[in-house]
Amino acid sequence: MGRNTADRQKGGRPSSSAGTALSGCKQQSQIHDSKSKSTRTSTQGLYGKHKRATQLESLSSRLVKPNAIEGFANNCEKIWEDWTSLLRRTTLPPNINSSDTRVIAAFRAVDSVISKKQSTCVLRWLAYVQLMALFDSLKPVVRVERENGKAHRERGNRDISAVIDIYENAQRPSDRRGLRNVIVEHRRTGKRVESLAGPSPLFLLIYSDEAEAV
């Protein structure tokens, strides 16, 4: 009986060794597969980064003027004068009412620059930036008037809608055809230009004319 037990133990050893060898092969195969996947992922990641870098380089060459620094230096003083002149005409004083005639005058001054064919591209962009500033200045004004019961508006009519109505009323009768669409487009363009300007509107000096369409 002891011999049979020994024989079974001896007979079991090759099976255990084979199982260990098989397990080792599987582990090596899994490691190899993992390395292969890691290599493919790394290669795909590098390709994706290179593609994005190429796209950004192409986009920047379209958006930024090739002589941006020189152009900024040559035009900064003149643009600054035009910009401060526009600000003097369009910056609203504190505690103003939305019905104040200076609000209408400010909107018209901005529109005159935007629509004027003689305006440079940068000056027109600056006017869009100031248009958005006017909207931002008037939103808290109309909100306070609504909360104090000084302005009656339909239920669900937002403060920004009230500001758009004021802007619409600032337009002259000859400009009223398709006016609402024009106003919507002005605000859309203003938001794009504002994002391009970033922390300073003078940064707009470095952009090409194509930047507005992006």
Side-chain angles (χ1 to χ4, degrees):
M1 181 174 178
R3 191 186 314 166
N4 291 337
T5 303
D7 289 343
R8 283 197 300 271
Q9 290 176 345
K10 287 180 181 179
R13 283 174 190 167
S15 175
S16 175
S17 300
T20 302
L22 181 61
S23 176
C25 288
K26 286 183 178 179
Q27 289 178 353
Q28 289 180 352
S29 176
Q30 289 172 351
I31 292 172
H32 177 73
D33 290 344
S34 177
K35 287 182 178 179
S36 297
K37 289 178 181 178
S38 177
T39 302
R40 286 197 300 270
T41 302
S42 177
T43 303
Q44 290 171 353
L46 289 173
Y47 174 76
K49 289 180 179 179
H50 176 72
K51 185 177 180 180
R52 286 194 295 272
T54 303
Q55 290 173 338
L56 286 173
E57 185 178 352
S58 174
L59 182 61
S60 64
S61 65
R62 289 175 50 209
L63 298 185
V64 179
K65 295 175 181 177
N67 56 342
I69 296 177
E70 182 182 351
F72 186 93
N74 292 339
N75 297 294
C76 184
E77 186 174 348
K78 177 63 172 65
I79 289 296
W80 177 256
E81 292 176 359
D82 294 337
W83 173 231
T84 53
S85 174
L86 181 64
L87 288 179
R88 282 194 295 269
R89 291 183 290 152
T90 59
T91 301
L92 301 177
N95 303 319
I96 193 172
N97 296 322
S98 64
S99 58
D100 194 299
T101 56
R102 286 172 292 184
V103 174
I104 299 296
F107 273 130
R108 286 181 176 175
V110 167
D111 274 356
S112 68
V113 177
I114 291 174
S115 60
K116 192 176 181 180
K117 293 181 180 179
Q118 288 79 10
S119 297
T120 63
C121 185
V122 174
L123 184 56
R124 189 167 62 252
W125 286 347
L126 290 173
Y128 276 118
V129 170
Q130 187 56 12
L131 177 64
M132 301 311 296
L134 283 172
F135 274 99
D136 291 340
S137 297
L138 286 170
K139 276 191 290 186
V141 173
V142 299
R143 182 177 66 249
V144 170
E145 291 177 349
R146 171 176 54 79
E147 292 172 348
N148 293 339
K150 294 181 180 180
H152 173 72
R153 295 211 300 273
E154 297 295 331
R155 188 178 184 86
N157 196 0
R158 299 181 302 163
D159 295 330
I160 187 61
S161 297
V163 179
I164 291 174
D165 289 340
I166 296 170
Y167 182 34
E168 186 174 0
N169 291 332
Q171 308 302 314
R172 293 177 174 82
S174 59
D175 301 331
R176 290 188 174 275
R177 186 174 182 180
L179 182 57
R180 203 73 179 185
N181 291 336
V182 172
I183 290 174
V184 169
E185 184 57 34
H186 279 187
R187 291 192 67 236
R188 186 181 295 119
T189 303
K191 289 178 181 178
R192 282 202 305 267
V193 174
E194 198 174 36
S195 66
L196 287 172
S200 173
L202 290 180
F203 283 171
L204 293 169
L205 278 165
I206 71 171
Y207 294 109
S208 67
D209 294 352
E210 289 188 54
E212 185 178 321
V214 174

